[in-house]
Amino acid sequence: MQVKVQPKLIIHGGAGSSLHGKGGLEAVRRSLHAVIEDVYALLLSGTNAAAAVLRGCQLLEDDPRFNAGTGSVLQSDGQIRMSAALMDGLSGRFSGVINVSRVKNPIELAYFLQNSPDRVLSDYGSAELARELQVPSYNALTDLRLQEWIQERQDNFKRTMAGVVAEPELLETSNAGRGTIGVVALDAHGGLAVGTSTGGKGFERIGRVSDSAMPAGNYATGHAAVSCTGIGEDIIDECLAPRIVVRVTDGMTLKDSMQRSFAEAHEHQRDLGAIALDASGAIAWGKTSQVLLAAYHNGEKIGDTLEMADGTQVGCIS
């Protein structure tokens, strides 16, 4: 008989430039902590890691504060194209959708594809799948994201990315936000899973593919699971999620793997962040960006990373 383990959970709502004002920080904290409470209760009830990840990503996609699902940023042509992926460490399966439009929860398509012979679909294929599953058409556009795009269009798209958090006071002042959401879960049976979803970086060239729907930004085995956030191209160049997971799989501790991987990312001048769990229940997070919007449940209480110091930082608790 398999011995039950203490479930663990960590989530993120992106990384990037500093949050301006305590109101912004506290609002993000409330959003993240509410998701932690909901999903951790599911894990305690025996829900498996993949289903818990699905639920966490759905909740984060539905929160217009974050750049995924509702509240996704607009690309250079004013359209929303979202990407999402899920990997189950137990089965070793990766599935995802790339640049899908007009759906509320891209993570649901990624979850469905776990049991499909074709597990990663691009824009046209994703749209066909949504029709096949009779997923209702949905407009993810918010007024704030539209204002952000209009503002940038007037300025001839001088910024390379949209804001990290959709708040009115940030539209004028945020620089180079890196918006993604992610969930990593360890269930009561010792199973690990990870999910990541994004609206992209905003104002990008049509057809650009983010790291979120690649193993580079979203990877799990039976040993560890990692979700990344930040500049997608930097995450892809580092192949960050598999780099961390493979090191743990090969015997390195999660803490040491994170520290080495983020030291390398810092040396390469990358702008990114990651959250992680291992099979022993260790929880870790790291960033080279100014902020990492992450929260976790260690089995006893909820914590978060919202007030970490600027610059490269790695944290780990067992």
Short mmCIF file of all heavy atoms in Angstrom, two decimals, residues 54-90:
data_model
loop_
_atom_site.label_atom_id
_atom_site.label_comp_id
_atom_site.label_asym_id
_atom_site.label_seq_id
_atom_site.Cartn_x
_atom_site.Cartn_y
_atom_site.Cartn_z
N LEU A 54 -4.71 21.67 -13.09
CA LEU A 54 -5.77 22.18 -13.98
C LEU A 54 -6.62 23.21 -13.26
O LEU A 54 -6.85 24.31 -13.78
CB LEU A 54 -6.65 21.02 -14.46
CG LEU A 54 -7.94 21.41 -15.20
CD1 LEU A 54 -7.62 22.09 -16.52
CD2 LEU A 54 -8.81 20.17 -15.42
N ARG A 55 -7.08 22.89 -12.06
CA ARG A 55 -7.93 23.81 -11.30
C ARG A 55 -7.19 25.12 -10.98
O ARG A 55 -7.74 26.21 -11.15
CB ARG A 55 -8.38 23.14 -9.99
CG ARG A 55 -9.13 24.04 -9.03
CD ARG A 55 -10.43 24.54 -9.61
NE ARG A 55 -11.19 25.30 -8.60
CZ ARG A 55 -12.24 26.04 -8.88
NH1 ARG A 55 -12.69 26.14 -10.12
NH2 ARG A 55 -12.88 26.70 -7.93
N GLY A 56 -5.95 25.02 -10.55
CA GLY A 56 -5.19 26.22 -10.22
C GLY A 56 -4.99 27.12 -11.42
O GLY A 56 -5.14 28.35 -11.34
N CYS A 57 -4.66 26.51 -12.56
CA CYS A 57 -4.47 27.31 -13.78
C CYS A 57 -5.78 27.95 -14.23
O CYS A 57 -5.79 29.10 -14.68
CB CYS A 57 -3.89 26.45 -14.89
SG CYS A 57 -2.15 26.02 -14.66
N GLN A 58 -6.90 27.22 -14.12
CA GLN A 58 -8.20 27.79 -14.48
C GLN A 58 -8.48 29.05 -13.65
O GLN A 58 -8.90 30.09 -14.18
CB GLN A 58 -9.32 26.77 -14.24
CG GLN A 58 -9.38 25.65 -15.25
CD GLN A 58 -10.34 24.55 -14.82
OE1 GLN A 58 -10.47 24.25 -13.64
NE2 GLN A 58 -11.02 23.95 -15.78
N LEU A 59 -8.25 28.96 -12.35
CA LEU A 59 -8.52 30.10 -11.46
C LEU A 59 -7.63 31.29 -11.81
O LEU A 59 -8.09 32.45 -11.82
CB LEU A 59 -8.30 29.69 -10.00
CG LEU A 59 -9.31 28.70 -9.42
CD1 LEU A 59 -8.84 28.22 -8.05
CD2 LEU A 59 -10.70 29.32 -9.32
N LEU A 60 -6.37 31.04 -12.10
CA LEU A 60 -5.45 32.12 -12.45
C LEU A 60 -5.77 32.69 -13.82
O LEU A 60 -5.66 33.91 -14.04
CB LEU A 60 -4.01 31.62 -12.39
CG LEU A 60 -3.48 31.35 -10.98
CD1 LEU A 60 -2.23 30.49 -11.02
CD2 LEU A 60 -3.21 32.64 -10.22
N GLU A 61 -6.18 31.84 -14.77
CA GLU A 61 -6.58 32.32 -16.09
C GLU A 61 -7.84 33.19 -15.99
O GLU A 61 -8.02 34.11 -16.80
CB GLU A 61 -6.87 31.14 -17.03
CG GLU A 61 -5.63 30.42 -17.53
CD GLU A 61 -5.96 29.18 -18.35
OE1 GLU A 61 -7.10 28.65 -18.22
OE2 GLU A 61 -5.10 28.73 -19.11
N ASP A 62 -8.70 32.91 -15.02
CA ASP A 62 -9.95 33.66 -14.88
C ASP A 62 -9.77 34.99 -14.15
O ASP A 62 -10.70 35.80 -14.11
CB ASP A 62 -10.98 32.81 -14.12
CG ASP A 62 -11.50 31.65 -14.95
OD1 ASP A 62 -11.25 31.63 -16.17
OD2 ASP A 62 -12.15 30.76 -14.37
N ASP A 63 -8.60 35.22 -13.57
CA ASP A 63 -8.33 36.46 -12.83
C ASP A 63 -7.72 37.48 -13.79
O ASP A 63 -6.59 37.30 -14.26
CB ASP A 63 -7.37 36.18 -11.68
CG ASP A 63 -7.20 37.38 -10.75
OD1 ASP A 63 -7.38 38.54 -11.22
OD2 ASP A 63 -6.89 37.18 -9.57
N PRO A 64 -8.45 38.56 -14.12
CA PRO A 64 -7.94 39.53 -15.11
C PRO A 64 -6.68 40.26 -14.67
O PRO A 64 -6.07 40.97 -15.46
CB PRO A 64 -9.12 40.50 -15.28
CG PRO A 64 -9.94 40.35 -14.05
CD PRO A 64 -9.78 38.92 -13.62
N ARG A 65 -6.30 40.08 -13.42
CA ARG A 65 -5.06 40.70 -12.94
C ARG A 65 -3.82 40.11 -13.61
O ARG A 65 -2.78 40.77 -13.69
CB ARG A 65 -4.97 40.50 -11.42
CG ARG A 65 -3.88 41.29 -10.73
CD ARG A 65 -4.00 41.16 -9.22
NE ARG A 65 -5.29 41.64 -8.74
CZ ARG A 65 -5.60 42.91 -8.59
NH1 ARG A 65 -4.73 43.84 -8.90
NH2 ARG A 65 -6.78 43.27 -8.14
N PHE A 66 -3.95 38.87 -14.08
CA PHE A 66 -2.79 38.18 -14.64
C PHE A 66 -2.90 38.01 -16.16
O PHE A 66 -4.00 37.95 -16.70
CB PHE A 66 -2.61 36.82 -13.97
CG PHE A 66 -2.51 36.91 -12.47
CD1 PHE A 66 -3.48 36.35 -11.67
CD2 PHE A 66 -1.46 37.59 -11.88
CE1 PHE A 66 -3.41 36.44 -10.28
CE2 PHE A 66 -1.37 37.69 -10.50
CZ PHE A 66 -2.34 37.12 -9.70
N ASN A 67 -1.76 37.88 -16.81
CA ASN A 67 -1.69 37.78 -18.26
C ASN A 67 -1.81 36.32 -18.71
O ASN A 67 -0.84 35.68 -19.08
CB ASN A 67 -0.38 38.40 -18.76
CG ASN A 67 -0.15 38.16 -20.23
OD1 ASN A 67 -1.10 37.95 -20.99
ND2 ASN A 67 1.11 38.16 -20.64
N ALA A 68 -3.03 35.81 -18.65
CA ALA A 68 -3.36 34.46 -19.11
C ALA A 68 -4.88 34.37 -19.10
O ALA A 68 -5.52 34.90 -18.19
CB ALA A 68 -2.76 33.40 -18.19
N GLY A 69 -5.46 33.72 -20.10
CA GLY A 69 -6.92 33.66 -20.13
C GLY A 69 -7.50 35.07 -20.17
O GLY A 69 -7.04 35.93 -20.93
N THR A 70 -8.50 35.33 -19.34
CA THR A 70 -9.08 36.67 -19.24
C THR A 70 -8.01 37.65 -18.75
O THR A 70 -7.38 37.42 -17.72
CB THR A 70 -10.27 36.68 -18.25
OG1 THR A 70 -11.23 35.71 -18.68
CG2 THR A 70 -10.91 38.05 -18.19
N GLY A 71 -7.81 38.72 -19.49
CA GLY A 71 -6.76 39.66 -19.12
C GLY A 71 -5.47 39.44 -19.90
O GLY A 71 -4.46 40.08 -19.62
N SER A 72 -5.51 38.55 -20.89
CA SER A 72 -4.33 38.34 -21.73
C SER A 72 -3.99 39.62 -22.49
O SER A 72 -4.87 40.39 -22.86
CB SER A 72 -4.57 37.22 -22.73
OG SER A 72 -4.60 35.96 -22.09
N VAL A 73 -2.69 39.79 -22.75
CA VAL A 73 -2.24 40.96 -23.49
C VAL A 73 -2.55 40.81 -24.98
O VAL A 73 -2.82 39.71 -25.47
CB VAL A 73 -0.72 41.18 -23.29
CG1 VAL A 73 -0.43 41.50 -21.84
CG2 VAL A 73 0.08 39.98 -23.77
N LEU A 74 -2.53 41.94 -25.68
CA LEU A 74 -2.78 41.94 -27.12
C LEU A 74 -1.46 41.90 -27.88
O LEU A 74 -0.47 42.50 -27.46
CB LEU A 74 -3.56 43.19 -27.53
CG LEU A 74 -5.08 43.16 -27.32
CD1 LEU A 74 -5.44 43.05 -25.85
CD2 LEU A 74 -5.71 44.41 -27.92
N GLN A 75 -1.47 41.18 -29.00
CA GLN A 75 -0.29 41.15 -29.86
C GLN A 75 -0.26 42.37 -30.77
O GLN A 75 -1.13 43.24 -30.69
CB GLN A 75 -0.26 39.84 -30.64
CG GLN A 75 -0.14 38.62 -29.72
CD GLN A 75 0.18 37.33 -30.43
OE1 GLN A 75 0.17 37.25 -31.66
NE2 GLN A 75 0.47 36.30 -29.67
N SER A 76 0.73 42.48 -31.63
CA SER A 76 0.94 43.69 -32.41
C SER A 76 -0.26 44.04 -33.28
O SER A 76 -0.51 45.22 -33.56
CB SER A 76 2.19 43.54 -33.29
OG SER A 76 2.08 42.41 -34.13
N ASP A 77 -1.04 43.04 -33.70
CA ASP A 77 -2.21 43.31 -34.54
C ASP A 77 -3.49 43.50 -33.73
O ASP A 77 -4.58 43.57 -34.30
CB ASP A 77 -2.40 42.17 -35.55
CG ASP A 77 -2.67 40.82 -34.89
OD1 ASP A 77 -2.47 40.72 -33.65
OD2 ASP A 77 -3.09 39.88 -35.60
N GLY A 78 -3.36 43.58 -32.40
CA GLY A 78 -4.52 43.82 -31.55
C GLY A 78 -5.32 42.58 -31.22
O GLY A 78 -6.40 42.68 -30.65
N GLN A 79 -4.79 41.40 -31.56
CA GLN A 79 -5.47 40.14 -31.27
C GLN A 79 -4.86 39.46 -30.04
O GLN A 79 -3.68 39.66 -29.72
CB GLN A 79 -5.38 39.20 -32.47
CG GLN A 79 -6.03 39.75 -33.73
CD GLN A 79 -7.51 40.04 -33.56
OE1 GLN A 79 -8.27 39.17 -33.14
NE2 GLN A 79 -7.92 41.26 -33.87
N ILE A 80 -5.68 38.63 -29.38
CA ILE A 80 -5.22 37.82 -28.25
C ILE A 80 -4.94 36.41 -28.75
O ILE A 80 -5.79 35.78 -29.38
CB ILE A 80 -6.26 37.80 -27.12
CG1 ILE A 80 -6.34 39.17 -26.45
CG2 ILE A 80 -5.94 36.71 -26.09
CD1 ILE A 80 -7.47 39.30 -25.45
N ARG A 81 -3.73 35.92 -28.45
CA ARG A 81 -3.38 34.54 -28.77
C ARG A 81 -2.69 33.95 -27.53
O ARG A 81 -1.67 34.46 -27.09
CB ARG A 81 -2.46 34.47 -29.98
CG ARG A 81 -3.13 34.98 -31.26
CD ARG A 81 -2.17 34.94 -32.45
NE ARG A 81 -2.82 35.48 -33.65
CZ ARG A 81 -2.81 36.76 -34.00
NH1 ARG A 81 -2.18 37.65 -33.24
NH2 ARG A 81 -3.42 37.16 -35.10
N MET A 82 -3.27 32.89 -27.01
CA MET A 82 -2.83 32.33 -25.74
C MET A 82 -2.18 30.97 -25.93
O MET A 82 -2.49 30.24 -26.87
CB MET A 82 -4.03 32.20 -24.80
CG MET A 82 -4.74 33.52 -24.54
SD MET A 82 -6.37 33.31 -23.75
CE MET A 82 -7.36 32.73 -25.14
N SER A 83 -1.29 30.63 -25.02
CA SER A 83 -0.63 29.32 -25.05
C SER A 83 -0.64 28.72 -23.65
O SER A 83 -0.58 29.45 -22.66
CB SER A 83 0.81 29.46 -25.54
OG SER A 83 0.85 29.93 -26.88
N ALA A 84 -0.72 27.40 -23.59
CA ALA A 84 -0.74 26.72 -22.30
C ALA A 84 -0.21 25.31 -22.46
O ALA A 84 -0.31 24.71 -23.54
CB ALA A 84 -2.15 26.68 -21.72
N ALA A 85 0.36 24.77 -21.38
CA ALA A 85 0.86 23.40 -21.40
C ALA A 85 0.71 22.77 -20.03
O ALA A 85 0.64 23.46 -19.00
CB ALA A 85 2.32 23.35 -21.84
N LEU A 86 0.66 21.45 -20.03
CA LEU A 86 0.59 20.68 -18.78
C LEU A 86 1.51 19.48 -18.93
O LEU A 86 1.55 18.85 -20.00
CB LEU A 86 -0.84 20.25 -18.51
CG LEU A 86 -1.13 19.60 -17.16
CD1 LEU A 86 -2.51 20.01 -16.65
CD2 LEU A 86 -1.06 18.07 -17.24
N MET A 87 2.24 19.16 -17.88
CA MET A 87 3.05 17.94 -17.88
C MET A 87 2.81 17.18 -16.59
O MET A 87 2.90 17.74 -15.50
CB MET A 87 4.53 18.23 -18.07
CG MET A 87 5.34 16.95 -18.29
SD MET A 87 6.98 17.25 -18.96
CE MET A 87 7.52 15.53 -19.24
N ASP A 88 2.51 15.90 -16.74
CA ASP A 88 2.25 15.01 -15.61
C ASP A 88 3.52 14.19 -15.37
O ASP A 88 3.94 13.41 -16.23
CB ASP A 88 1.08 14.10 -15.96
CG ASP A 88 0.63 13.23 -14.80
OD1 ASP A 88 1.44 13.01 -13.87
OD2 ASP A 88 -0.52 12.78 -14.81
N GLY A 89 4.14 14.38 -14.21
CA GLY A 89 5.37 13.67 -13.90
C GLY A 89 5.18 12.17 -13.78
O GLY A 89 6.10 11.39 -14.04
N LEU A 90 3.97 11.76 -13.38
CA LEU A 90 3.68 10.34 -13.21
C LEU A 90 3.71 9.60 -14.54
O LEU A 90 4.34 8.55 -14.68
CB LEU A 90 2.31 10.17 -12.54
CG LEU A 90 1.96 8.78 -12.01
CD1 LEU A 90 2.92 8.37 -10.91
CD2 LEU A 90 0.51 8.76 -11.51
#
